[in-house]
Each structure stands twice: as structure tokens, then as C-alpha cells.
Amino acid sequence: MSPAGGVSVRRGGLEDVATVHALVSGAFGEVGPVEPPLSALRETVDTLTARLDGDEFLLIAEADGAVVGCAFCAPQDDAVYLGRVAVDASARGRGVCRALVGEAEALAREFARVRLTLKVRASMPQNIDVFRRLGFTITAEARHEGYDRTTYYVLEKPLG
């Protein structure tokens, strides 16, 4: 896929895991301390590799020969769940997330799924805005175990 901005998306593999680990650690590390702590920052090369040993797929966004974004996709029921969506700070605003979501939509259709789903922390309203602009809507509020307030939202994008 080659949308505007010179971003292309491909399916990733085990050879990409170390690069993806650095990307996820960097992107989620920029968030700073939040409650509850971000599980993405506990990821290791081994835990990311294990995702690919299961039924998850890895999408890699590239621009100018560099990896600038990623997303893990997991078929679930009638949906494809997007997780660990990360975009390098140097590539934000160039359509990287849009390209990843577009490829996830194609993957969902390939697997005969009718929607995309994802979760976004309540403490990251800018990310909620990004996904809303890409056609997602909030379908549920939820909280992590031990918390008495909303800590994340479930978002969904139906595929037409």
C-alpha cells in the first residue's frame, strides 16, 4: 500500500521484531508515567515474538527506507483487533497511522471480519482523536482491575 506521504505498509515477520520493540518502547515511552502503567513498556523482544507465534499478524509502515510505524493485528470473532499501534515521532502527521489502519482493514476483509477494534487509554485523548478521524467510534468505557474510574476506551470501526 502506498498512500500519500510516501508511506508503505507490509506484513512483518520475526526479522522485524527487534526494530518493532525499539519503536514500541520509544513511542509508548514518550507518554511518561501514567496510572495504570503502560503494559506496552513491559514488552520484550521475546513477548513480541510470541505474539507472532500465535495468530497475530504484524504490520510494518515504512517511509524513506526506515520503519516508522507498526501494529499487531489479531482476528477475534467478527473483528480484527489492533494492538501496539506505534508511530515514530519523526513520522507523525505523515499518514502512517492511516496507512496502518487501511492495511488492517484489508486484512480484516481477507479474514471475512466486519470491523476493526482497539483500546486507547483515557489518559491519551490525542490518540482517541486520531482514531476518531480514521472512522472509529467509542463503543465502551472500561477500567483496569483495581481502578474505580475509566482507564481506557474500546473503539470500533465497522467495515462497509
Side-chain angles (χ1 to χ4, degrees):
M1 177 175 189
S2 292
V7 178
S8 62
V9 178
R10 63 175 172 82
R11 291 206 187 157
L14 295 175
E15 68 280 2
D16 297 300
V17 172
T19 301
V20 165
H21 178 258
L23 177 65
V24 168
S25 296
F28 284 88
E30 291 177 1
V31 173
V34 296
E35 283 297 323
L38 296 171
S39 60
L41 294 176
R42 292 192 305 268
E43 291 281 20
T44 65
V45 169
D46 289 339
T47 61
L48 293 173
T49 297
R51 288 174 174 266
L52 297 181
D53 288 340
D55 63 351
E56 291 189 55
F57 295 88
L58 174 60
L59 298 179
I60 300 288
E62 297 177 317
D64 303 322
V67 173
V68 295
C70 67
F72 282 86
C73 300
Q76 296 178 343
D77 302 321
D78 68 342
V80 166
Y81 176 78
L82 297 177
R84 300 298 184 249
V85 179
V87 176
D88 186 85
S90 68
R92 292 186 189 139
R94 292 181 56 193
V96 175
C97 192
R98 179 176 303 281
L100 288 165
V101 168
E103 192 64 23
E105 290 175 15
L107 183 66
R109 287 184 178 95
E110 180 180 324
F111 286 99
R113 301 310 199 266
V114 298
R115 61 194 174 102
L116 296 178
T117 63
L118 55 83
K119 297 174 185 172
V120 178
R121 290 295 188 107
S123 59
M124 302 169 126
Q126 69 282 9
N127 289 3
I128 294 168
D129 291 342
V130 166
F131 288 108
R132 279 185 163 156
R133 285 192 303 271
L134 295 174
F136 286 82
T137 57
I138 294 174
T139 58
E141 294 182 13
R143 62 181 148 214
H144 290 83
E145 186 176 331
Y147 289 83
D148 62 357
R149 61 178 166 73
T150 298
T151 57
Y152 67 94
Y153 297 97
V154 177
L155 284 80
E156 178 178 311
K157 179 178 185 177
L159 304 178

